[in-house]
Amino acid sequence: MLDSFFNFVTSIVVGPAAVIVIATLYWCIDKHAGWYVLTSFAVGNNINQTLKDFFCVPRPWLRSTNIHPSPAALGGATGYSFPSGHSQTAASIFGAAAWHYRKLGSWVIPLAIFLIGLAAFSRNILGVHTPQDVLVGIAIGILSLWLSAHLLNWMERKTTSPITVALTFLFTALALMLYTVLKPYPTQGIATTINVVEMQKDAFTTAGLLAGLGVSWWAEKRFVNFTIDQSNKRQIALRVVCGLSLIAACHLGILMPLKFFTQSGFAYKFCTGFLLVLAGMVGGPALTQSIEKHQGHHSTNAQ
């Protein structure tokens, strides 16, 4: 019973939860909050992945025969152990959303702490992380809240051009990918049992998130620049439908074929992070505006 429950918890944190929280905020409620949570998510993931590459700590069951991980959790426990990516992701997403809306009520931050703690504990009870792993993962998530707030302030300044933001994130993503590929890895001991190539692919996905964030910021400011303030329910619903449709189309029409032809290679992993962010942050709102413009043109002609 516990395995099933905590496997469910750990499975929704890194994928569905990130998409739902960011998409709901960005498309429906508060555009600024959406950018903040996405930035926290991307920055936290890249810090966490870089530290994994640096410390090269094996998973708990490799260090102790007394630890028996849940078989269902092994699929999401690729690469090195320290720090915990799931714990960091929970802290980066739920923490950023709670901090942004902390004035809504006294329940907001305690709810976020509960969700973060639940996600972190799930990694311990499933046997795929140590307490040290999850505590440092949470600390990185909290750090990402602070860094992202300052980053977003810099991005929103009138003196900061959107192309500068895009190039900054692109070059940072490139540097991180070069680091994970070129750095030396352990050649002795239990750390050699880790599949380094698969771990490097994970780093390319997180770098893709960072690059997608930068390019999306530039493209949205340059070509879309949508607003939520005056949106009615119909416009919000249309934005959700268009956004989800483009994300699904991107996944089925580009990423799945790319996964097949590259055999889940580095290009596929990078594009997974890059294209899905671009489709959600730019493609969905752009398609919404195009449909609304087309409908408005027909309405004018009819009148």
Side-chain angles (χ1 to χ4, degrees), residues 44-169:
N45 266 259
N46 278 275
I47 294 174
N48 193 85
Q49 190 63 49
T50 302
L51 290 178
K52 278 180 182 283
D53 297 349
F54 180 80
F55 287 107
C56 299
V57 177
R59 291 283 173 172
W61 67 86
L62 297 173
R63 288 181 275 162
S64 172
T65 56
N66 293 323
I67 297 176
H68 304 279
S70 168
L74 293 178
T78 57
Y80 295 112
S81 183
F82 176 87
S84 166
H86 284 71
S87 303
Q88 167 269 308
T89 295
S92 293
I93 294 173
F94 300 134
W99 183 252
H100 185 82
Y101 289 106
R102 61 190 181 278
K103 295 182 180 179
L104 281 182
S106 58
W107 56 271
V108 175
I109 291 181
L111 175 61
I113 292 173
F114 170 75
L115 293 173
I116 294 166
L118 187 65
F121 183 64
S122 74
R123 305 306 286 166
N124 286 156
I125 202 168
L126 294 174
V128 292
H129 279 294
T130 65
Q132 296 94 320
D133 294 345
V134 301
L135 288 173
V136 175
I138 291 172
I140 294 169
I142 295 172
L143 175 63
S144 73
L145 308 185
W146 179 80
L147 287 174
S148 298
H150 287 278
L151 265 176
L152 203 55
N153 285 336
W154 169 73
M155 292 159 65
E156 291 178 334
R157 288 177 189 166
K158 293 181 179 180
T159 55
T160 306
S161 67
I163 192 65
T164 300
V165 174
L167 290 174
T168 299
F169 282 111

Side-chain angles (χ1 to χ4, degrees), residues 260-275:
F260 174 78
F261 287 113
T262 66
Q263 297 182 340
S264 299
F266 287 92
Y268 162 72
K269 289 292 187 175
F270 176 82
C271 290
T272 298
F274 181 83
L275 292 179

